[in-house]
Amino acid sequence: MAVASQSANYVEKAIGHTDDAVIEQNMTNPDRDREKYADPSGETMKALVWMGKNDVQLVETYKPKIIEDRDVILKVTGSTICGSDLHLYHGAVVELQKGDILGHEFCGKIDSVGPGIKNLKPGDRVVASFQIACGECMYCQKKLSSQCERTNSNKVENIMYGGRTAGMFGYSHFTGGFAGGQAEYARVPFGDVNLLKLPDDVPDEKGLYLSDVLSTSWNCVVDTGVKEGDVVAIWGAGPIGQMCAEMSFIRGAKRVIVIDGGPAAWRLDLVKSKTPKVETLNYTDLPSGTTVTSKLKEMEHGGPDVALECAAGEYAKGIAHKLEMLAGLETDTSEILNEMITSVKNYGRCGITGVYVGYTNHFNIGSLMERGIRFIGNGQAPVHLYWEELLKMLQDGSLRSDIMLSHRVDISEMDILYQKFDARADNVQKVFVQTRFSDPPAPGTPELTSWK
């Protein structure tokens, strides 16, 4: 996939961009053009950059400057790592370039604002949405911010998908090429739209996660139509799967079964300890001849009503898919998707939130059609549609984001964090990454961990 990523870069250079975007594209590190992108003060910052497959490095680079009227420069006070970041780490997402600053979930304090910003001021505490929306196009008017038409001019994505997502922070040139928030400063285009003020009663250790994980989990549950009395099965016990379990109960689910295994099996115990009503299924412990599908149908007559995919398509289990992915014959395995389709009741619903980037083989379209399965791509979550509602839920206590928070680390150890998170090591679930601008840990949140 790393070779595919570089090939896609060459293709993009050859065919050019479309003219849809109204903001600067492919500014993934101020160091790429210091005169154009770096703050004139010469101030530097720590940032985590991609340097190749399974290779991220902490570097000193330049603080970004305001380059467009509606830009905001943020002192980052909190960031994190996401399962989606691992797809970049592994080179599974195309059009990465060495030196790209990663990170799409972050919050902070405003350092400076462009002349077009009227609703924010220096010193405000804010959280950034992981997508960059203009606030004015057809999708933005409906708050479907992840599909903004005016912030990503990448032609390769348009050809592959028949359309494009919005630009996204720290997520390769495939999504516009924007520097991410795993850094001490970040530039936020259309800052008046893509930043949400955080009230004093919501510390960074909660507000940060409105940026992605909470909105993505809520979108998965709501968009797939989880309702009162449903039995829900969730593939993946990482932070998204954990929050989908919690939110399924909020939506009235009768039972929630979380599936995981292998080196990540410990996460099942974590999820169970935080939400005792959850039932768990460790696929590595199943006896010979028993499949995930057969076990689910044993646990619930006919299978669950709803299946939620919170894992992703790059993790092949069977030899056929491993070989086909290695040979470039597919980008994503269909194994989990097929398990979901065959597991749910007839006319059941399957929601796909884990990242799938291209094409898959051996997809069980027959079961999908014959049994009337509703197969729903949840899409990149439209954060703007949900984050105000979710903020209120954090404030009144009906939503517990702290149940997934396992560690606090310093940005200086961000490269080590990638290794730990990728290996599912040290019980790392969801992390708060501090910078020199961060406040002390909020009461009841993890103290600083160091692996050095």
Side-chain angles (χ1 to χ4, degrees), residues 191-203:
D192 50 341
V193 173
N194 296 300
L195 295 171
L196 179 69
K197 287 184 183 179
L198 292 175
D200 291 342
D201 60 347
V202 176

Side-chain angles (χ1 to χ4, degrees), residues 169-450:
F169 290 107
Y171 216 75
S172 89
H173 298 260
F174 192 65
T175 61
F178 296 92
Q182 290 171 356
E184 293 180 310
Y185 286 99
R187 181 182 74 93
V188 180
F190 291 127
D192 50 341
V193 173
N194 296 300
L195 295 171
L196 179 69
K197 287 184 183 179
L198 292 175
D200 291 342
D201 60 347
V202 176
D204 286 353
E205 291 89 343
K206 291 183 178 180
L208 164 63
Y209 304 110
L210 294 167
S211 187
D212 180 3
V213 57
L214 295 180
S215 300
T216 294
S217 301
W218 190 247
N219 180 64
C220 180
V221 170
V222 171
D223 191 54
T224 313
V226 173
K227 63 183 188 303
E228 188 81 28
D230 275 342
V231 176
V232 179
I234 299 171
W235 274 255
I240 297 289
Q242 181 179 12
M243 294 313 302
C244 280
E246 181 81 1
M247 290 169 171
S248 291
F249 283 124
I250 290 173
R251 296 277 293 181
K254 179 173 65 176
R255 298 176 68 188
V256 176
I257 304 163
V258 180
I259 303 146
D260 213 322
W266 61 266
R267 301 191 302 194
L268 294 171
D269 294 331
L270 172 68
V271 173
K272 180 75 172 176
S273 71
K274 300 295 184 179
T275 308
K277 292 186 291 183
V278 160
E279 302 167 61
T280 60
L281 196 168
N282 184 342
Y283 63 77
T284 49
D285 288 346
L286 293 175
S288 178
T290 301
T291 64
V292 170
T293 293
S294 65
K295 184 63 178 178
L296 286 171
K297 290 183 182 292
E298 175 188 318
M299 295 173 72
E300 172 69 21
H301 178 71
D305 302 287
V306 178
L308 303 178
E309 206 285 21
C310 301
E314 71 161 299
Y315 303 110
K317 292 189 287 186
I319 188 66
H321 284 283
K322 287 180 179 179
L323 290 174
E324 288 174 14
M325 291 175 74
L326 189 63
L329 299 175
E330 67 175 2
T331 59
D332 305 275
T333 176
S334 59
E335 291 162 293
I336 290 178
L337 306 180
N338 287 338
E339 282 183 353
M340 294 166 64
I341 289 168
T342 56
S343 294
V344 294
K345 291 181 173 70
N346 294 0
Y347 293 102
R349 306 183 299 286
C350 298
I352 319 303
T353 281
V355 171
Y356 287 74
V357 297
Y359 303 93
T360 190
N361 299 327
H362 315 293
F363 180 71
N364 195 345
I365 195 168
S367 178
L368 184 81
M369 182 270 152
E370 297 289 351
R371 298 174 53 237
I373 308 303
R374 272 54 179 161
F375 194 74
I376 303 162
N378 300 128
Q380 296 288 350
V383 172
H384 297 189
L385 186 62
Y386 303 120
W387 62 353
E388 291 175 344
E389 176 186 7
L390 293 169
L391 175 59
K392 291 177 182 177
M393 292 169 68
L394 288 175
Q395 288 180 287
D396 67 23
S398 59
L399 177 60
R400 304 180 301 154
S401 65
D402 58 302
I403 62 174
M404 63 178 168
L405 183 56
S406 61
H407 291 72
R408 182 188 186 100
V409 302
D410 191 80
I411 193 171
S412 62
E413 299 190 32
M414 195 85 202
D415 53 342
I416 302 173
L417 174 59
Y418 266 77
Q419 297 169 21
K420 297 285 186 182
F421 194 61
D422 186 38
R424 314 298 197 262
D426 291 8
N427 291 354
V428 174
Q429 181 75 332
K430 197 64 176 176
V431 179
F432 184 89
V433 179
Q434 69 176 28
T435 74
R436 58 186 158 124
F437 301 121
S438 301
D439 293 328
T445 65
E447 293 295 322
L448 187 67
T449 294
S450 177

